[in-house]
Amino acid sequence: MRRSSLLLVVAGLVLLAGCSGLTGTETPVNTGETESGAAAVDVSTTLDDEAVAGVGYAVTVEAVNEGDAAGNHTVDLSVDGEQTVSKTVRVDANAQRSVTLRHVFEEPGEYTVEVAGESTTVTAIENPLPPARERMQNVDTIVTEERQSMNLTLQGQQSGRMTMRGEGTGRYDMVRNRSYTSMENDIEFGGFSFAQQVDTWYANGTEYERSKNENEIEYEYETEETTFDDVAPDFDIPLEMTNQSRARVTDDTVIVSGNLDSLLGLASIFGNASDGPGENALEKFESMRVEIGVDRETERISYVELDVQVNGLEVTGSTGSGNVTMHTEFVEFDTQVDTAIPQSVRENTVGGGETPDTSTGQASSTTASLAD
């Protein structure tokens, strides 16, 4: 399966920046049936002390009712002594529920956050994602470690459960617009399982692919006309189009995430893709979760993850519904990358192979300067 095809299926930061907290009173719920006893709700909370200005700060509250009756419990979150969020959660008898409160600090600074009698000083930092995107635009080469997965239920010419788990690496020459990726996929379908090796190169408007299942001797080859933007890792995902964006700050990473659940938001991902899905295809994408990590030391993007829910997507004569995930980790920048297309691949693909690089007369193998 082509890497760009999987990207197409996905159409792809986040983060829960907080944990539990609760305040309020519980009251029995009138269900129309007689209940003995009373509600007894206990809550717990942990508050993070860092947040990202302009992105949601989330507090997840765990409420446990050890009583014999259901009850309602009101949850409040206050900032600098002012209540900003209040939710009421129903907790059944001898049950547990969680509820998430979300607040956005509009400006960087220090704020006092109170939940369920717990209090902490939260430092809201500048959003590092916009400058990180700019720094990524200035790198010459990128080396990645990549993971992809599909978990679909198919109906049609082929019916059943199909799962795929893949891992591999990528080499991207951002100056000459060339790339090489190598993936090994483990696939299960119809009671059968097998491994598949897929190698893909891109140069001069053409993607070259060779693939082979573990029990096969010969490779299969194919080419497709596309653009470098369609095969290169996407780190410019418009999180401003997401809803309920959140951020979590760790010692070394700022993680920002959000959900895309509208045609407008999904279309924004593919607005510049030459072979991206049309409106009818986008209707098959129910939602997408986007997560991006920013390294606090290098101030560059460290990973991007896309998690898509699809329904009725066309897959080789069948329709598939389920989940598709892609995870790309950026492990090296501005180092030597080999994107040269092997002679055997050029000879076995339609069109006779790539056009030589005009500066070297050969396929690209770039050693980039170590400029920051």
Side-chain angles (χ1 to χ4, degrees), residues 26-342:
E26 62 260 11
T27 58
V29 175
N30 184 0
T31 64
E33 299 178 1
T34 302
E35 294 185 274
S36 60
V41 179
D42 292 326
V43 298
S44 60
T45 181
T46 302
L47 302 176
D48 283 359
D49 58 8
E50 286 188 283
V52 175
V55 184
Y57 172 82
V59 179
T60 300
V61 175
E62 300 294 340
V64 179
N65 184 3
E66 297 181 347
D68 297 327
N72 289 337
H73 201 98
T74 301
V75 184
D76 299 325
L77 184 150
S78 297
V79 177
D80 292 339
E82 180 180 350
Q83 179 180 302
T84 61
V85 185
S86 181
K87 289 185 177 181
T88 298
V89 58
R90 180 183 186 278
V91 187
D92 291 336
N94 299 305
Q96 179 175 331
R97 290 287 304 276
S98 64
V99 60
T100 298
L101 306 181
R102 180 176 174 273
H103 176 77
V104 176
F105 301 103
E106 298 296 339
E107 301 291 339
E110 292 189 347
Y111 302 85
T112 300
V113 175
E114 297 178 87
V115 181
E118 297 290 336
S119 177
T120 191
T121 298
V122 175
T123 300
I125 65 174
E126 290 274 6
N127 187 347
L129 188 54
R133 286 172 174 165
E134 293 184 9
R135 292 179 68 86
M136 296 289 286
Q137 297 287 351
N138 295 324
V139 299
D140 290 338
T141 65
I142 299 175
V143 177
T144 63
E145 294 180 357
E146 304 182 19
R147 302 192 303 270
Q148 57 191 25
S149 67
M150 298 180 67
N151 194 338
L152 301 177
T153 299
L154 301 182
Q155 295 181 336
Q157 293 182 5
Q158 301 289 334
S159 297
R161 194 73 173 175
M162 183 188 76
T163 62
M164 185 273 287
R165 301 289 183 271
E167 293 186 355
T169 60
R171 305 286 187 268
Y172 301 91
D173 183 340
M174 310 301 288
V175 177
R176 292 184 174 88
N177 288 354
R178 297 170 180 265
S179 67
Y180 165 60
T181 60
S182 179
M183 300 292 298
E184 182 171 327
N185 302 317
D186 293 319
I187 301 171
E188 295 184 7
F189 181 73
F192 296 94
S193 62
F194 60 94
Q196 179 188 60
Q197 178 67 38
V198 181
D199 298 311
T200 307
W201 294 263
Y202 174 86
N204 303 325
T206 302
E207 186 177 60
Y208 303 78
E209 177 187 289
R210 70 178 182 191
S211 61
K212 182 176 67 173
N213 295 339
E214 59 184 343
N215 59 345
E216 296 176 340
I217 299 177
E218 300 293 333
Y219 283 103
E220 292 186 2
Y221 299 85
E222 65 176 293
T223 63
E224 181 170 333
E225 298 304 307
T226 184
T227 68
F228 185 69
D229 286 343
D230 290 345
V231 301
D234 192 353
F235 45 78
D236 198 23
I237 298 172
L239 280 177
E240 60 274 10
M241 297 296 297
T242 67
N243 53 39
Q244 296 296 301
S245 62
R246 299 178 181 179
R248 179 166 58 90
V249 182
T250 70
D251 290 341
D252 54 10
T253 308
V254 177
I255 306 167
V256 184
S257 71
N259 298 321
L260 289 168
D261 55 9
S262 69
L263 283 180
L264 176 63
L266 292 170
S268 69
I269 295 287
F270 299 95
N272 296 322
S274 63
D275 61 350
E279 183 174 339
N280 290 338
L282 286 173
E283 292 176 352
K284 309 301 182 183
F285 302 137
E286 294 188 326
S287 65
M288 177 187 293
R289 182 184 64 84
V290 183
E291 178 173 315
I292 302 177
V294 177
D295 188 293
R296 299 185 72 176
E297 180 178 356
T298 65
E299 297 181 332
R300 286 174 172 160
I301 294 175
S302 57
Y303 75 89
V304 174
E305 182 169 288
L306 307 178
D307 189 348
V308 180
Q309 296 294 321
V310 299
N311 186 10
L313 191 71
E314 293 186 4
V315 182
T316 60
S318 301
T319 57
S321 300
N323 169 265
V324 180
T325 300
M326 288 188 65
H327 180 100
T328 302
E329 185 172 350
F330 304 98
V331 296
E332 292 181 18
F333 302 97
D334 297 327
T335 59
Q336 178 174 324
V337 295
D338 184 2
T339 61
I341 303 174

Side-chain angles (χ1 to χ4, degrees), residues 5 23 222 298 344:
S5 295
T23 180
E222 65 176 293
T298 65
S344 60

